[in-house]
Structures are given as structure tokens and as C-alpha cells.
């Protein structure tokens, strides 16, 4: 299992940017980076991690590499082609912005009040990809923004000292540095005009100043300006030899060589009496459009230099942290860090290309759909979101709950989502009409802490954490059927047996109660534990139940005989860390030493466990051994990440973490002001979220598992493309031998040998070489072991291959011939069958939409052709009656009168 994708969070902080082709957008999410492909409607999270939250992202002009910089100045050079880290570098100070030059040979970095220009990696053959070219000084406060000229010979830097400076990136005779004023607040953005030295500067108080240069970009003279000492010596010689007139002419010549700027106009974004802080901006040079984002959630679109307002819209009431144009200027990306929101707006059609928002609080629960295609999540913000595992996008959000979500689950048919909340309601949502069609409430107000639904989907059960009771409702009528009482503590977890209608409940009263719901006999068994129960789950066959306890132990019980079958001591495997404000070490602390979520694998041989730490553990149930430990994050921006505190942060009076420095004003917070100053918020505090795992769930296909963490919804999946895993291999099985068997038309032997070699490309070559007339014969000769592998291979190929009918023929033939034997061992092949169902369902949905579109297009074409033909025939008849002697002309549009079967459908050529 390897990290596959990060869902549930689309933006955290930093700048968003489009790829050079303009079809994808790169967004920093915590210490990772996600790429959203807007053209193919897919999202992907790069398998690279920074040490802390990423705040700066810069792409090379060719789109092959990117530079990621975190909060403390640690940089990663990442290849967007191989999706791997190429180089590590540390700037030793926080970095505000990074930007490549248009020619891709250099990139500039603003660090405090300095600007560092480096040679771009990949353009020169150096051992160190980050080779410093030159350092630029001048600002009296932090530099905030950078922009390059089109020829990469000069760049502008704006800073918080309200000034903007233009520096020469190469040696120029008529430009070294030029400083601009004209603002009363910090500079947010500075932009050069297209193929010009004209400059736009924008400040935080909503002021735009337009500067015009008297020199064209092509008139910049290469070469270094004369040094001061050399000029003094030359002037002294001229005083002795030449007259005063020649000196004056030389001075005038020197003045003409330097470039000059003048302020053309000044514009204000805020109206009279209205003040709105400008937080971000971007300028598209070819179309001359300027987009600005404000702290109130409003963004403006202006055309420069006339300052004509095109759009003024509001996306939320939170601060817009970043805006960006794509390469064509048609799409605008807007990111809001307060809500975790990412939008892509097409200003011409006034429509959204992308509109995604994650949970702006922690996630509390998740559940897979029966086919593994969707994931539903519930958050502490009271929202229920449904995500597509294939595209990674959220396609529906339910906001009916008014408090944190305690549990979410799909029904067995996959068309209904049920959620329970601390607001005392459980709600059922229809995924066809996207509405809340059932609301379940208790006779007295209660806070629901857990949720369970039986296999048929007729019964909904919720456990209360303040009344110690379990409520049972009917899905059909919405009526309360029964209240199960007996627990003496809050009910922590509920689960139904997959085999029969047995309900198991875990409580803080150190008991597990097994209820028989349909026979209404009350509590069937009571399992006494040695510690508080936190989570309970059934094995897929229903013959075993696993219990997570507060002591850190996982116990396994037989629910029918009420006997314990095993236990795992996981207290030391969880590996909880020490928080910065803790007075004691992590080893002696009792917090975070227990699992809070359990889930069996699809075959029931292993169990997945997570809790209040950064680790997820997989145990083998029969052997009671730890198989693997997954570390969900290495982000040091979270609390409790390390077992020991850094001694450099410890002083004689305590930890430096106890000193609240507040949040910087530029990052969405308010700076702590001096006493007596009526500005800022003295009550604002900066806090670090604690890393934890709230829920884990295995996919029904058995190929992946998901977990809700502080980072977001993380998906781990099997990736067999990078590993060589042969099956029953011997010396005679080679690709050459397999191809020799294909040449002899011994297809069944070649197929079994390719599965024993277990090389994906070889298996695909063999399968696609077999004629479709031989599929039935080959399928009959396959043993059961190879039938399972063949069906799993067909499931993987259906997602990407163009040969749909061929692989569907394989699928149908294998299921027809081996269906009874597959049914007899259904538990062992259940994960494989669900993967097959998921692939078939996904391709069916894609092709059905395409075929419907083709059908309506064909109907429109045929109707237009018939109308055109009848109109011309009528016109030809009128002409015959008028002339009388003209010969009858053939119908030129008879070729348009064809049936629907004569026109090829696009879906035939997928």
C-alpha cells in the first residue's frame, strides 16, 4: 500500500498557479501539492512532502519542474514529469514569493528585505541546482512580490515599505535600480506591461498607480555602467584639458542615458467612505486584464490602462488569499484559505469551471459505497460531502445538520447516505435527487455519537452519548421502533453483523452488548472487558468481532459463544507524540495511547487501526503481529508530531511555544498591536492543530483504504506497476517462451504462463493476441486460481482500455462458465468481484452519456437534412411549373436523406 491521493481538502494556504498549458491548476494543501486537471476532470496529489506547510509554488515556463517552499524557507525542487524530489535546499529564512524568469534561465526569491536571483536548475550543468547569481538589497521591510520583464533582463520588486524597485537582472548601462513611491500602504503586486517597461503597482489600501517609462524594452543598452571612481578620474582629466562647454554636454549625455519614469494616473478600488483591504492580485499581460481579491471575499476584474470595471463578484465572506490567470486569460483561479475553497471562474461566460471546498474543520467519519466508487465524509463543520474516488472531486454537499457529524454510512444499494450528528438528528439523503428525504429524531433531545445500518437498509440505529441508549428507526416509515437500554455509559460505537441481524454496541461502561433486533429479545450477550470500549467492528463473515479499548489493547471475540479468541497489545505501536505545551514526556502521557477506529480488510485476515497519533497500524489477526505501520504525515506544522521536544526551543523558564507571537496580518489574521492602539485584535491567538486519525475504512474492492486525518481524507492503494511479483515462477517461464506458445496457438498455456510471470505488459499482450472466437475455449480450461487473476486483470483493463467489447466478452464468458464455483467461495473473491463491478459501472456511465449525446446530435442532423431537402424539392417544383419546358433536375440533396443507421456513432470508436 502506498499513498495514492488526498481528498477532502483542496487548498490550505499559499499561492495557486496554472500550468503553462492553462488546463491544470496547482494548489498547495498543507505540506503537499495537488494538481487539478480541469480538462479531464481529475485531481492528483503528488507523492512528495515538505517538512512544513507549503507557502510558495513556482513552475518553470516549460512546466517540467516546480519549486516548493515551506513556512521556514526549506525548498524542494520537484519534477512534475516523474513526480519525485530532485533536490533539497534551505533559504534559512521565510520566503514570500518565488518566480521564474520568462526565458526559464533564472528565478528570483524574496527573503525578508532581500531579493536573491538564482540560475534556474536544468539550464546549466552544475552539481548544485540552486546556484546564486546575485543578491539585491534596498527595501527597508519585507519584499512581497516580483515580476519580470518579457525579455528577462529586468524585474520589479514590491515591499512592505510602500516602495517598488526595478532592478537590472543583467548588466545594463541605462538601468541599475529605479525606486518608486506614491503609495500609503504595503505593496501587494507589481506588474510590467506586455513587451514594455511600463509598470503597474498596487497597494494593500486599494490603490493602483500607473507608471510610464520613456525607454522601450529594446532600448536597454547591454554592458555595465561606468564605475564611480573611473568617472571621477575621467572628469578630472577633462577639467584640465577641455572647456566647461564640453563638460556640460557630457553631463547632458549621461542624463539622457538613464531611463526615467513618470506617474501617469492613480486609481482607487474602494469607493468613498468604504475601506476594503486588498489581499491578492494578478495581471494578464496579453489581454491587459487585472484581477484583485479583497479581505471581504470580493474580487474585481478591470481592463487596464483605462481601469474599466468588467466584473465585481463575491465568492464568500472570507479573505481571498490568492488569485491567478491561466495562460489564455479566460480562467481565473480564486483561493480562500479561511474556508479551504478553490474556484476557477470563466469571466466571459460568467460560469464556474471548478468549484470545490473541503471541510474547514476536522473530518470525523467516512464510509465507502458498496462498489468502492464513492466516499462519504462527515466533518465537525456539520457538512456531509460525497467524493468520487476516480476524479477526486466532491460532487454533492449536504448542509442540513447544525452540529458536528458523528457518523456516516451508505446503504447496501449505494443510493442512500445516512448521517448522525450531535444536533440530535439522523438524516437520510437521496443520491439521485440530492435531497434529505428522512429525518430521524429521538423522543428526548440526545447527542448521537455513532451510527449503524443493517444489511437490508431497513433499520437505522444511533447511539447516544448523554442518555446511554440506542435508538432504532424504520427507514421506510421514519418511525421510532425501539429504544435499547442497558448501557451505563456513553455508547461509543455500533456495528451490524454482515451475516445476520445482530447488533453489537461498545460503551464506556467496559462492556460490549450483542442485540438481536428482529426477534426483539433484548440483549443477547454481554461481553465484560477490562477497560472502556472505544470501537467495535465485525469480520466480513460475521464470525468474529474486534474491540478497541482505552488501554490500547485490541481484543477479538466470538459473538455467538461469547468467548475471547485473541488480543493484540498496540499501546506501544501507536507512537503518540509530545505536544509543545505538555509538561511530561510522551512516554509517560496516557493521552493518545489507544485506538479509536478499527476496520477489517476485505478478506478478514488483517485489521486496520488508527487513533490519536500520526501512525496507522495493520495487524495480522491470526498471528497477532504488526505487519506495517503507515505514517500519515511528516508535517511539523502540526502539534504532537515528535516524541521529544527540541532543546533549542527550551529556555530556563519553559518552552518557547508558550509565547504567543500572534498571526501575521498578511496571512489572514491581525497583528498584535501596541497597548492603546485601536487596531488589531489582542484576543487573536495562533494555534497548531494536533495530528490524529479519526476514522479508517477499507475499500470493498480490497485494493485501497481511506482515512480521515488532520491533513484531510487520505487514500492509500496498491500500485503493482512498480513491483515485480511473480507467481509460481520457474526457469522455463520467460517472455520469449510465452511468445513462442502464442506462435503455436497454445493460448491457454501462454495465458497461464503470463500470469505466473505476473508482468502486466506481457499479460496484456497475451490476452489481446487471443482471437475472440477462442475466448470461450480458453476460459473453460483455466483453473480457479487463474480465473480469479483473469477477472482482476479484466477489471483493471476496463478502466483504461479501448477494447471494451473484447474485455466484456471475457468477463461474461468467465462468469457464465465459472459462476457457480465463484459463488461457493464468495467470501474469498468478494473484493475482486466488487472491483469488477466498479470498473463496469464507471465505463457504463461514461459511455451512456456519450451515446445519449450522439443520439440527440444525430436526430438533430437528420431533422435539419430532411427540412433542407423538402425545402429544395418544393423550390424545384415551383420552378418546373413556372418554366414548363425545363428538364427535371436530379435531387442534389438525396445524399442527405439517410437513415440513422447509416451515420457512424462516435461511441463505436472509443
Amino acid at each position: 500500500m502506498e499513498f495514492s491521493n488526498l481528498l477532502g481538502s483542496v487548498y490550505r494556504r499559499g499561492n495557486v498557479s496554472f500550468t503553462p498549458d492553462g488546463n491544470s491548476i496547482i494548489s498547495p494543501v498543507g505540506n503537499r501539492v495537488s494538481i487539478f486537471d480541469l480538462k479531464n476532470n481529475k485531481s492528483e496529489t503528488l507523492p512528495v512532502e515538505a517538512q512544513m506547510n507549503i507557502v510558495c509554488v513556482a513552475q518553470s515556463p516549460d512546466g517540467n519542474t516546480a519549486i516548493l517552499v515551506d513556512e521556514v524557507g526549506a525548498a524542494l525542487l520537484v519534477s512534475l514529469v516523474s513526480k519525485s524530489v530532485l533536490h533539497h535546499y534551505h533559504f534559512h529564512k521565510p520566503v514570500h514569493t518565488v518566480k521564474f524568469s520568462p526565458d526559464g534561465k533564472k528565478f528570483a526569491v524574496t527573503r525578508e528585505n532581500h531579493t536573491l536571483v538564482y540560475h534556474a536548475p536544468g539550464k546549466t550543468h552544475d552539481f548544485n541546482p540552486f546556484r546564486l547569481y546575485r543578491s539585491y538589497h534596498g527595501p527597508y521591510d519585507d519584499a512581497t512580490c516580483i515580476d519580470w520583464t518579457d525579455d528577462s533582463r529586468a524585474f520589479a520588486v514590491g515591499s512592505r515599505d510602500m516602495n517598488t524597485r526595478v532592478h537590472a537582472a543583467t548588466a545594463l548601462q541605462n538601468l541599475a535600480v529605479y525606486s518608486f513611491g506614491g503609495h500609503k500602504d504595503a505593496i501587494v503586486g507589481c506588474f510590467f506591461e506586455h513587451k514594455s517597461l511600463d509598470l503597474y503597482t498596487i497597494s494593500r489600501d486599494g490603490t493602483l498607480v500607473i507608471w510610464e517609462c520613456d525607454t522601450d524594452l529594446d532600448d536597454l543598452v547591454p554592458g555595465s555602467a561606468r564605475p564611480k571612481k573611473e568617472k571621477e578620474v575621467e572628469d578630472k582629466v577633462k577639467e584640465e584639458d577641455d572647456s566647461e562647454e564640453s563638460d556640460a554636454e557630457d553631463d547632458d549625455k549621461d542624463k539622457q542615458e538613464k531611463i526615467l519614469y513618470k506617474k501617469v494616473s492613480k486609481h482607487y478600488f474602494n469607493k468613498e467612505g468604504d475601506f476594503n483591504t486588498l489581499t491578492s492580485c494578478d495581471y494578464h499581460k496579453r489581454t491587459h486584464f487585472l484581477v484583485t481579491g479583497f479581505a471581504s471575499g470580493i474580487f474585481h476584474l478591470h481592463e487596464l490602462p483605462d481601469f474599466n470595471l468588467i466584473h465585481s463578484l463575491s465568492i464568500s465572506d472570507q479573505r481571498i488569499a490568492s488569485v491567478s490567470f491561466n495562460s489564455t486569460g479566460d480562467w481565473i483561479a480564486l483561493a480562500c484559505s479561511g474556508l479551504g475553497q478553490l474556484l476557477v471562474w470563466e469571466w466571459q461566460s460568467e460560469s464556474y469551471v471548478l468549484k470545490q471546498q473541503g471541510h474547514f474543520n476536522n473530518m470525523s467519519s467516512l464510509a465507502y459505497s458498496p462498489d468502492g466508487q464513492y466516499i462519504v465524509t462527515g466533518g465537525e463543520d456539520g457538512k456531509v460531502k460525497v467524493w468520487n474516488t476516480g476524479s477526486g472531486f466532491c460532487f454533492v454537499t449536504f448542509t442540513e445538520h447544525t452540529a458536528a457529524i458523528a457518523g456516516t454510512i451508505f446503504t447496501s444499494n449505494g443510493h442512500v447516505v445516512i448521517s448522525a450528528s450531535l444536533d440530535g438528528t439522523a438524516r437520510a439523503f437521496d443520491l439521485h435527487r440530492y435531497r434529505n428525504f428522512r429525518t430521524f429524531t429521538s423522543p428526548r433531545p440526545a447527542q448521537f455519537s455513532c451510527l449503524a445500518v443493517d444489511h437490508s437498509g431497513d433499520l437505522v440505529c444511533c447511539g447516544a452519548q448523554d442518555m446511554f441508549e440506542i435508538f432504532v428507526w424504520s427507514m421506510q416509515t421514519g418511525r421510532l421502533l425501539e429504544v435499547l437500554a442497558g448501557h451505563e455509559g456513553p455508547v461509543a460505537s455500533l456495528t451490524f453483523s454482515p451475516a445476520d441481524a445482530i447488533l453489537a454496541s461498545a460503551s464506556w461502561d467496559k462492556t460490549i452488548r450483542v442485540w438481536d433486533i428482529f426477534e426483539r429479545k433484548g440483549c443477547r450477550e454481554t461481553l465484560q472487558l477490562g477497560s472502556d470500549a472505544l470501537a467495535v467492528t465485525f469480520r466480513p463473515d460475521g464470525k468474529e468481532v474486534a474491540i478497541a479499548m482505552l488501554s490500547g489493547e485490541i481484543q477479538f471475540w466470538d459473538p455467538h459463544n461469547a468467548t475471547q479468541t485473541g488480543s493484540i497489545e498496540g499501546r506501544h505501536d501507536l507512537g503518540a507524540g509530545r505536544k509543545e505545551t505538555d509538561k511530561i514526556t510522551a512516554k509517560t502521557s496516557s493521552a493518545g495511547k489507544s485506538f479509536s477506529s478499527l476496520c477489517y480488510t476485505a478478506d478478514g485476515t488483517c485489521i486496520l487501526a488508527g487513533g490519536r497519533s500520526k501512525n496507522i497500524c495493520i495487524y495480522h489477526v491470526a498471528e497477532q503481529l504488526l505487519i506495517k505501520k503507515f505514517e500519515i504525515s511528516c508535517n511539523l506544522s502540526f502539534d504532537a508530531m515528535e516524541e521529544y521536544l527540541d532543546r533549542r526551543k527550551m529556555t530556563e523558564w519553559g518552552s518557547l511555544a508558550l509565547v504567543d507571537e500572534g498571526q501575521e496580518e498578511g496571512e489572514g489574521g491581525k497583528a498584535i498591536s501596541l497597548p492603546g492602539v485601536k487596531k488589531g485584535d489582542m484576543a487573536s491567538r495562533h494555534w497548531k492543530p494536533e495530528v490524529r486519525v479519526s476514522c479508517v475504512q477499507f475499500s470493498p474492492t480490497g485494493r485501497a483504504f481511506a482515512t480521515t486525518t488532520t491533513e484531510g481524507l487520505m487514500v492509500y492503494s496498491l500500485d503493482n506497476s512498480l513491483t515485480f511479483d511473480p507467481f509460481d515462477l520457474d526457469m522455463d517461464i520467460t517472455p520469449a517462451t510465452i511468445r513462442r506458445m502464442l506462435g503455436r496457438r497454445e493460448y491457454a498455456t501462454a495465458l497461464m504462463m503470463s500470469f505466473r510471470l505476473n508482468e502486466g505488459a506481457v499479460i496484456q499482450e497475451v490476452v489481446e493476441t487471443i482471437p475472440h472466437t477462442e475466448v470461450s475455449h480458453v476460459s473453460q480450461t483455466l483453473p480457479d486460481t487463474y480465473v480469479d487473476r483473469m477477472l482482476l486483470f479484466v477489471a483493471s483493463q476496463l478502466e483504461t482500455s479501448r477494447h471494451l467489447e473484447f474485455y466484456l466478452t471475457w468477463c461474461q464468458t468467465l462468469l457464465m462458465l465459472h459462476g457457480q464455483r465463484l459463488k461457493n467461495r464468495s467470501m474469498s473473491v468478494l473484493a475482486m468481484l466488487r472491483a469488477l463491478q466498479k470498473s463496469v459501472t464507471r465505463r457504463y456511465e461514461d459511455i451512456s452519456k456519450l451515446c445519449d449525446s450522439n443520439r440527440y446530435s444525430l436526430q438533430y442532423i437528420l431533422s435539419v437534412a430532411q427540412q433542407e431537402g423538402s425545402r429544395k424539392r418544393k423550390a424545384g417544383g415551383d420552378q418546373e411549373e413556372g418554366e414548363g419546358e425545363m428538364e427535371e433536375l436530379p435531387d442534389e440533396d438525396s445524399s442527405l436523406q439517410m437513415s440513422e443507421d447509416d451515420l457512424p456513432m462516435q461511441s463505436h470508436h472509443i
Side-chain angles (χ1 to χ4, degrees), residues 679-722:
K679 185 180 178 183
D681 183 10
M682 294 296 293
S684 63
R685 294 293 180 264
H686 179 66
W687 60 281
K688 296 174 67 174
E690 181 183 354
V691 62
R692 64 173 59 192
V693 176
S694 57
C695 187
V696 293
Q697 189 77 30
F698 242 97
S699 171
T701 62
R703 306 286 299 175
F705 74 84
T707 173
T708 53
T709 67
T710 314
E711 284 274 17
L713 175 61
M714 307 183 72
V715 180
Y716 292 79
S717 64
L718 289 171
D719 186 7
N720 291 332
S721 61
L722 302 177

Side-chain angles (χ1 to χ4, degrees), residues 370 409-416 418 437 452-461 472-476 481 496-502 517-518:
I409 196 170
F410 274 94
T411 56
S412 57
N413 58 11
H415 302 319
V416 177
I418 304 174
F437 69 93
V453 178
D454 73 325
H455 185 69
S456 63
D458 295 333
L459 297 179
V460 178
C461 300
V472 183
W473 295 276
S474 170
M475 175 67 78
Q476 299 294 332
L481 300 179
F496 269 99
S497 172
D500 46 20
I502 294 178
I517 301 296
F518 285 102

Side-chain angles (χ1 to χ4, degrees), residues 371-388:
D371 59 356
Q373 193 167 355
Y374 305 116
I375 297 177
V376 58
T377 59
E380 295 179 0
D381 55 0
K383 294 182 180 179
V384 177
K385 291 179 174 287
V386 185
W387 306 81
N388 189 318

Side-chain angles (χ1 to χ4, degrees), residues 487-540:
H487 281 295
E488 299 176 358
V491 182
S493 179
L494 293 175
T495 182
F496 269 99
S497 172
D500 46 20
I502 294 178
L503 176 68
S505 60
S507 174
W508 291 4
D509 60 1
K510 303 181 181 180
T511 62
I512 297 291
R513 293 181 179 266
V514 181
W515 313 82
D516 200 335
I517 301 296
F518 285 102
E519 296 185 5
R520 297 191 177 184
K521 294 182 180 179
C523 182
R524 181 175 172 180
E525 295 286 351
T526 301
L527 310 179
Q528 297 293 334
L529 306 176
S531 182
D532 297 357
L534 302 180
V536 60
T537 183
F538 272 98
R539 201 168 64 183

